[in-house]
């Protein structure tokens, strides 16, 4: 699917996808049900353990960007100097239904989710990284995105950060394919170089939002990207590459 979707196409997608919102996204309510979509055959494939991880040589950075004449009306303009954080998310997150936690099966590719975000009024993101390493950009770096709703740990998070979504169920059991981590690592290195960021400037969504999920006991609202995400390896790869500062 081309990143050059028309406004009319995006509005139609938004109308269809409005049947449910994902709990991990900013502004979502825990009782909402995310869009259920068919699982493509390749989406459920087991990652190849032979593929290199985040410490492998950088892969070529290939980003599906919107046309230059696409009008971005959301967010606020900002200077590059304002960016001092990268926040890692997963599309999926905990839903509270009848007092029990549920996670949705997250499918489709990065362009699909980029266009989904474009159709939303109350949430946005800068980049989406797919399971097969595809990357799509939804909002320019120099415009803010609404990807973190709690600002008690880091003030003005959205004004100073770049948000990256990984296509993943977010349940702590769905593995991150090596090719997805390689693409993310290449993206983070690129952003770190451009905005002079270091390993300590990379954050998980969960560490920035300590709130509990209403109606579901002692469970947290935000757990992404979860225990299977190789955060330490990502930070080490960034430190070893000399990118950023």
């Amino acid at each position: 699917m081309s990143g050059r979707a028309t406004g009319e196409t995006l509005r139609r997608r938004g109308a269809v996808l409005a049947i449910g919102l994902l709990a991990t996204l900013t502004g979502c309510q825990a009782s909402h049900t995310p869009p259920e979509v068919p699982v493509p055959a390749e989406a459920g494939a087991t990652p190849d353990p032979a593929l290199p991880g985040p410490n492998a040589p950088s892969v070529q950075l290939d980003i599906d960007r919107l046309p230059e004449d696409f009008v971005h009306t959301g967010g606020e303009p900002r200077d590059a100097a304002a960016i001092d954080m990268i926040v890692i998310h997963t599309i999926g997150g905990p839903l509270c239904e009848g007092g029990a936690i549920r996670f949705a099966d997250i499918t489709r590719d990065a362009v699909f989710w980029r266009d989904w975000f474009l159709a939303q009024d109350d949430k946005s993101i800068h980049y989406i990284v797919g399971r097969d390493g595809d990357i799509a950009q939804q909002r320019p770096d120099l415009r803010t995105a609404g990807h973190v709703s709690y600002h008690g740990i880091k003030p003005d998070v959205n004004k100073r950060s770049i948000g990256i979504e990984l296509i993943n169920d977010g349940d702590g059991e769905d593995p991150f394919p090596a090719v997805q981590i390689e693409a993310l690592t290449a993206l983070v290195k690129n952003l770190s170089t451009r905005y002079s960021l270091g390993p300590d400037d990379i954050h998980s969504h969960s560490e920035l939002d300590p709130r509990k999920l209403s109606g579901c006991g002692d469970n947290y609202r935000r757990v992404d990207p979860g225990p299977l995400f190789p955060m330490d390896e990502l930070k080490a790869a960034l430190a070893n590459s000399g990118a950023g500062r």
Side-chain angles (χ1 to χ4, degrees):
M1 177 171 57
S2 170
R4 299 172 180 264
T6 65
E8 181 180 354
T9 300
L10 294 177
R11 286 193 294 273
R12 288 201 301 269
R13 288 195 182 114
V16 173
L17 292 169
I19 59 173
L21 302 178
L22 300 175
T24 193
L25 304 176
T26 304
C28 293
Q29 298 298 319
S31 59
H32 288 166
T33 302
E36 299 288 353
V37 289
V39 180
E42 64 273 17
T46 302
D48 184 353
L51 290 173
N55 290 319
S58 296
V59 299
Q60 180 178 356
L61 190 59
D62 185 14
I63 301 173
D64 187 302
R65 302 182 190 274
L66 290 161
E68 291 184 3
D69 59 356
F70 185 90
V71 178
H72 290 274
T73 58
E76 303 174 9
R78 61 183 175 182
D79 295 329
I83 299 172
D84 64 1
M85 298 169 55
I86 293 174
V87 183
I88 309 296
H89 304 252
T90 59
I91 293 286
L95 301 159
C96 185
E97 296 181 347
I101 294 291
R102 182 178 78 84
F103 290 87
D105 293 328
I106 303 302
T107 65
R108 310 299 275 269
D109 61 13
V111 170
F112 172 88
W113 285 105
R114 186 268 305 285
D115 292 348
W116 185 87
F117 275 103
L118 283 169
Q120 308 306 307
D121 294 327
D122 60 346
K123 60 189 65 65
S124 51
I125 197 70
H126 291 101
Y127 297 91
I128 301 98
V129 182
R131 297 178 192 272
D132 60 358
D134 54 322
I135 302 174
Q137 184 172 12
Q138 187 248 312
R139 184 160 288 182
D141 296 357
L142 298 186
R143 293 192 74 89
T144 62
H147 58 101
V148 176
S149 61
Y150 185 75
H151 294 235
I153 293 178
K154 296 282 187 180
D156 299 322
V157 174
N158 292 330
K159 292 183 179 181
R160 55 193 288 201
S161 65
I162 288 179
I164 302 175
E165 291 277 2
L166 298 172
I167 296 178
N168 183 277
D169 295 352
D171 59 359
E173 299 179 359
D174 184 19
F176 295 92
V179 67
Q180 184 180 38
I181 298 302
E182 289 169 13
L184 172 68
T185 302
L187 176 60
V188 169
K189 286 180 179 178
N190 180 276
L191 294 171
S192 297
T193 296
R194 281 191 279 148
Y195 303 112
S196 299
L197 306 179
D200 291 340
D201 301 320
I202 314 302
H203 300 276
S204 66
H205 190 189
S206 59
E207 72 178 279
L208 298 178
D209 190 342
R211 294 175 293 177
K212 298 297 178 65
L213 188 60
S214 177
C216 275
D218 203 35
N219 293 286
Y220 289 96
R221 297 177 72 248
R222 303 291 180 255
V223 296
D224 52 323
L228 294 186
F229 180 75
M231 180 65 83
D232 290 342
E233 289 85 348
L234 174 63
K235 291 185 176 184
L238 179 59
N240 294 336
S241 72
R245 57 176 173 79

